Structure formats: C-alpha cells, structure tokens
Amino acid sequence: MSSHREAPAISKDPVADNTDTYAYVARGSTVTLIANYLPVQAPAGGPNFYEFGDDVAYEIHIDNNGDGEPDVTYQFRFTTTITNPDTFLYNTGPIDRLDSPNWNRRQTYSVFKIRRDGRPHTAVVGRDLPCPPCNIGPRSTPNYEALASAAVKTLRDGEKVFAGQRADAFFVDLGSVFDLGTLRPFQSLHVIRMANSQGVDSLKSSNVHTLAIQVPISELTRDGSVPSDPMSDLAVVGVWASAQRQKAVMLDDEDRHTAGPWVQVSRLGNPLFNEVLVPMAQKDKWNASCPSQDKRFAQYVAQPELAKLLPMLYPGVFPNLAGLTADRLDLLAILLTGIPAGRIPGFQNFTGPTQADMLRLNVAIPPSGSPNRLGIIGGDLAGFPNGRRLIDDAVTIELRAVAGATYPLVQPNYTPDGAVSAIEDGTFNNPGRVFLPDFPYIGTPYSGYNVPAA
Amino acid sequence: MADLTRRKFLSRGSITAAGAIAAVSAGPTALAAAANAVAGSGDDMEVGDLSALDGPMFVNVRDAVTGEVEVLVDETSVVFNDRALVSKLQRATQ
C-alpha cells in the first residue's frame, strides 16, 4: 500500500498513520493538498467509529526553497466531546445536521498556520471547526453528502478546509504484490507459476480520515507570486505530510497523560517510498526524520531492491533490467530532487541538489482537460510525479519506473524491456471509486450498512 | 528531529515518575530555571509554590550513573545532571 501499514512501529498506531498525500493544481489558481490517515477502515466499525487522535498533531508541509525543510505548515489539532455520557451509542437518532443533539461523540479541530519563510508567521487560522460524523448508515446519517458539505469551512486567510472520513482513493493489489511479488499480468511467468487472473483491489470499500485544504498558490510560493512559466524555479513546491505525538505518555486509570516535545511518528511524500524502497530495519527511522535528511536513504533509491527482484522472480521477462547495474539516476531525480529541465519538453520540477522525499508540484502546469492515470509517463504533465492527483495510478507508475520505464530520461540509449509497458496493478477500474466535482474532491465514505456487501 | 524517539523513550526502562519535583510553570524558561535550582540545591532547596504546576510532569532518568535527567512538561523538555535527585528517586522506588 502507499503507506497504510508500511513500517513496523506506525503499523501499531493507525490513528497517527499517514497513508497517502496528494497535491495538485485545481481550479482558480489554487492547490489542493490532501493527507489521509487511519488506514483500512472497515465502514461498519462501530459503535466506536473512527476518529482523529486528540493527542496527535497532524501536519501538511510545503517547502518552497528546495532545502527539504518546511516553509509553510498547516497543523490540525482535534478535540473530541461526548454530549450524552449515559449511552453507549455513537448516535441516539438520525444525525441530520452537524449540531444534531442525536450525535453523541463528535470532533472539532483548530488549524494553525506556521510560516518559516519570512512572511507573517504562526497563527490560528481556524478554531472550533466541525468534522462530519462517520458514515454510519441510512438511518443514522441519511443525507451524508449534506453533512460533509456543511463541514467544508473557510480559514482566516481564505483557504478552504475539510477534515473527516472519506473513501480511500488509493487502490492496490496488495494481496498479490506481497505474495512474493506477484504481478497479475505475469503470474504464469513467475518462478512459482499460477494461472493469470484479474487484479484485486485490497482497499476497495475501505475508508480513511482525510485532511484536505485548498490553498491559493500565492500562499505557497516563496515570493508570493502565481508563476505562469513552468521552467521557473519559483513554480515548484515540495509537499509532504506527517503526524507527531508527544514524547511522554502515561496511562493512569481512565486518564491518559502526555507531555514533552512533539516527536514525528509518521510522514509521507511520494507514494510507496518508505513502503517499497526503504529496508524494514530503516523504516521507523525514516518515519521519524525530515525530508532534508533523506540523503541517508538515497542508496536504496539508487539501487532499489525491487529492480533486482523482478528479473529473478520473472526469469527472461526483464533481461534489460537485469543488465542495468548503474545507479538509478532517474529514480533519484524523480523521488529526491525533482526532474531537471531538458529531460521532458516543457516540464521540470527540480528543487535543487538537496535530496528529499517530497511530492514536487510545478504549480505553473495547469490541470489537464483529459487526465491520464499514468501521469507524466502517460504524457500528462499535470499528473504524478508532478505532484499527485486522486486518479493517478501510483502503483502502476512506480512499478513501471522501477522496472526501467524512466531510465531513458537519463540514458537515452537504454531500451526498457517490452514487458514494462504491460505492467499493471490491475485495480484501476473500480466503478465504486467516485470523486466529487468540488472540494474536497475525495469521495464519500462507504457506510457500514451495505459494506461489505451481503 | 530529536534522536530520542517516543518509542525509545517508552522502552528505555528508566525511572519515570509523574509528579512535581520543583515549582514550575509551564514553559521552557521557567523549566530551565527550575532545573538549575534542582541541580544546585539537593535536599536543602527551598520549596516554592507547587500549586503553580499545571498538568503532568514526567521525569526520565536517561543515565543513572551520570545523573542525567530529562524533565518533560507541557510541550517542552529540559535535560540536566543531578545525581542526588536520581538517588532520591531510586530510594523512593525501593
């Protein structure tokens, strides 16, 4: 999965587990930033339905000078209240509005905007903002879309914001890929041969908790401009999300005490970076560190383990990849520094020499009128790895890249294996994955009443 | 990012106590001042207004031999050396 249970420690702390981060240019000179947490929610998980952690500081970061350190941070802090202490129920009747007295356990949140780029800094830009309830079912949340829409708010500086449960936008054939690297299109060619079959989306019908914020581009660039030239270095910003917990925790009867500085326990920039590239023994360290320190993980990008495994798992299918022993300068660029000018006509998202795992978004590239799920390798400059959109098929794109599809960016004489263009995650065509036409774009969460279907 | 992660902190197996060791108000300056007072005065220190302490305070003995202690309160922490304090805490647990 992109980062749903990608490291040993955070897999035991789902409330703080960052699953996916998205950043893309939306309408009206704005960037939509989405960070998802709380992975693999079964929609029927009541009566204690899913919620953000009051003791977690959730953050979305923007680097606008290429040093891998945050220049703008939006921090979200939550407060849970129980309105009726005498019931075990999440709701005692239909929840038809956000202040419904029938809703027993609800969350509000504050948003802090922390600037470190010389412009006016730390401020509370939103307070007591409501989360919608979880999507319980047709009797409890009969008009869920209206509840969610009512939870879209505007911050002090004009940003739109939303925090609450959503359908997971990510899709992956997890059961296959971690069953010794099975790629469904090539099952019959695996060293342990099986009949070919269709991909299975392991996250189909599961929910996450989403932080979404739509920010004017001028709030993100280092000079406050709205760049129109994609080749300008002012046009590229780095984005990642994280979660922090306080250093000390003590459980005392029913109370939970915390104190001390905030310590990062989860982060996510590029999808699958920690999951697929970083060795198991390093994953927790990666989650606790800042992108500016990612040079120490660059060796795992330069010589990705998966690129060595594919020719062994599929004998004869990836001969050119098997002979590719040089450092993967293509992956180092895509994931750690951005793609410099001159490699792709009309495009760059280079942020400088500092190696840092961030989504790199060129804000001067307008949204595509006909988005291609394969993003840049599909000829769509508005898609991953130019930031990341909800529709981008991150697993297929990255599998193909690791298998050699992007190596010609740095070595034009290299010919990717013919099988590379056939690699598919195989889970893209899920008719249940529906995105909204307006902010927060990510889809309505599945309700437990019908999921899993009988 | 600090070298001492939350997980390492919780698994260190050190003496950890929730309780006031000095009169402080939340905030790094007051905490540092209190730490200096603790480090310098031992059992003879003057007890101040303990009611000013609001919220939990955690004491983490990072190295008993050197007396290195980390005190965490509110959203801050301070590290200092006080072997007498460590000895006192150890005696309290026996």
Side-chain angles (χ1 to χ4, degrees):
Chain A
M1 285 180 263
S2 177
S3 180
H4 288 57
R5 292 176 51 80
E6 94 289 354
I10 198 62
S11 67
K12 302 177 182 70
D13 186 8
V15 169
D17 190 358
N18 188 187
T19 69
D20 283 282
T21 304
Y22 302 88
Y24 54 96
V25 176
R27 65 189 64 172
S29 298
T30 62
V31 168
T32 296
L33 306 169
I34 294 175
N36 290 339
Y37 296 84
L38 247 166
V40 202
Q41 296 178 20
N48 294 290
F49 289 93
Y50 303 88
E51 61 192 19
F52 291 105
D54 290 3
D55 53 356
V56 177
Y58 300 91
E59 295 185 332
I60 299 175
H61 309 280
I62 298 93
D63 168 28
N64 60 27
N65 62 8
D67 64 359
E69 296 281 342
D71 296 300
V72 185
T73 295
Y74 290 95
Q75 185 187 84
F76 297 72
R77 300 283 298 276
F78 291 84
T79 302
T80 305
T81 55
I82 295 175
T83 55
N84 180 354
D86 298 322
T87 179
F88 74 96
L89 294 167
Y90 183 81
N91 56 297
T92 53
I95 304 171
D96 54 4
R97 60 183 198 272
L98 293 179
D99 61 352
S100 167
N102 294 328
W103 184 12
N104 187 34
R105 188 176 174 92
R106 62 189 72 198
Q107 285 194 302
T108 57
Y109 64 102
S110 295
V111 182
F112 300 81
K113 187 176 185 176
I114 304 158
R115 298 203 76 112
R116 304 175 183 85
D117 59 358
R119 295 161 71 180
H121 57 282
T122 308
V124 180
V125 290
R127 196 185 293 278
D128 295 327
L129 304 168
C131 295
C134 288
N135 193 0
I136 311 302
R139 292 174 184 79
S140 295
T141 47
N143 190 351
Y144 192 82
E145 288 77 7
L147 288 170
S149 293
V152 173
K153 300 296 181 185
T154 301
L155 300 179
R156 187 196 67 180
D157 295 341
E159 301 95 332
K160 282 186 180 178
V161 67
F162 172 89
Q165 192 182 45
R166 296 280 91 190
D168 195 345
F170 190 59
F171 46 96
V172 62
D173 192 348
L174 191 68
S176 176
V177 76
F178 285 133
D179 186 16
L180 295 183
T182 307
L183 303 174
R184 300 253 189 201
F186 308 126
Q187 290 147 293
S188 60
L189 303 175
H190 195 283
V191 290
I192 303 172
R193 294 171 186 253
M194 298 181 70
N196 285 342
S197 60
Q198 296 296 310
V200 175
D201 183 358
S202 309
L203 300 177
K204 183 180 180 182
S205 306
S206 70
N207 295 326
V208 290
H209 263 54
T210 291
L211 306 176
I213 186 164
Q214 192 167 63
V215 186
I217 288 173
S218 59
E219 286 291 313
L220 303 180
T221 53
R222 67 174 177 265
D223 66 344
S225 67
V226 181
S228 57
D229 177 10
M231 308 317 288
S232 166
D233 63 349
L234 293 171
V236 182
V237 297
V239 176
W240 74 100
S242 66
Q244 286 81 31
R245 286 189 177 279
Q246 284 185 277
K247 202 168 180 178
V249 179
M250 188 181 74
L251 305 180
D252 182 19
D253 294 331
E254 76 258 36
D255 294 325
R256 178 183 174 94
H257 304 289
T258 60
W262 293 91
V263 177
Q264 183 175 298
V265 296
S266 179
R267 71 154 156 144
L268 187 62
N270 282 296
L272 300 167
F273 190 101
N274 197 24
E275 174 125 355
V276 172
L277 296 173
V278 179
M280 185 81 76
Q282 301 289 320
K283 288 178 185 294
D284 293 341
K285 182 182 295 183
W286 185 91
N287 263 334
S289 62
C290 185
S292 61
Q293 301 168 16
D294 282 344
K295 182 178 180 180
R296 58 183 167 167
F297 300 107
Q299 60 184 304
Y300 310 121
V301 181
Q303 295 287 335
E305 183 181 8
L306 181 59
K308 296 180 176 66
L309 289 174
L310 287 174
M312 290 192 287
L313 291 171
Y314 300 93
V317 176
F318 298 101
N320 295 349
L321 180 62
L324 178 50
T325 57
D327 279 354
R328 294 296 301 274
L329 301 180
D330 56 326
L331 301 178
L332 287 167
I334 292 169
L335 298 172
L336 289 177
T337 62
I339 301 169
R343 306 292 180 178
I344 300 171
F347 179 77
Q348 61 88 24
N349 64 354
F350 185 65
T351 53
T354 300
Q355 293 180 311
D357 171 38
M358 305 183 288
L359 290 173
R360 287 174 171 80
L361 177 64
N362 188 320
V363 298
I365 302 288
S368 172
S370 54
N372 186 313
R373 70 182 170 94
L374 297 179
I376 287 180
I377 68 169
D380 180 358
L381 298 182
F384 181 73
N386 181 23
R388 183 185 176 195
R389 301 169 300 193
L390 295 170
I391 67 140
D392 289 334
D393 190 343
V395 176
T396 297
I397 294 169
E398 291 199 348
L399 283 173
R400 290 188 185 187
V402 169
T406 51
Y407 195 61
L409 285 174
V410 297
Q411 181 49 265
N413 295 329
Y414 177 81
T415 302
D417 294 299
V420 171
S421 60
I423 292 177
E424 288 281 351
D425 177 58
T427 60
F428 179 73
N429 292 317
N430 171 12
R433 190 185 309 112
V434 177
F435 301 120
L436 308 180
D438 298 303
F439 183 83
Y441 301 111
I442 186 167
T444 299
Y446 300 95
S447 91
Y449 188 69
N450 286 319
V451 176
Chain B
M1 182 55 55
D3 290 331
L4 190 67
T5 67
R6 168 179 169 263
R7 290 176 291 281
K8 286 178 183 171
F9 172 70
L10 291 175
S11 63
R12 191 176 285 267
S14 57
I15 300 170
T16 302
I21 59 169
V24 299
S25 58
T29 304
L31 187 57
N36 291 332
V38 169
S41 54
D43 286 345
D44 298 331
M45 70 173 285
E46 183 179 344
V47 177
D49 178 13
L50 295 177
S51 66
L53 179 62
D54 182 24
M57 174 184 286
F58 293 77
V59 179
N60 176 29
V61 178
R62 290 161 46 130
D63 187 334
V65 175
T66 64
E68 183 177 288
V69 174
E70 180 182 29
V71 179
L72 303 103
V73 66
D74 194 21
E75 297 186 358
T76 64
S77 71
V78 64
V79 177
F80 56 91
N81 291 311
D82 187 341
R83 296 181 67 196
L85 172 62
V86 174
S87 177
K88 200 170 186 178
L89 290 170
Q90 188 179 36
R91 283 200 306 273
T93 64
Q94 292 172 341

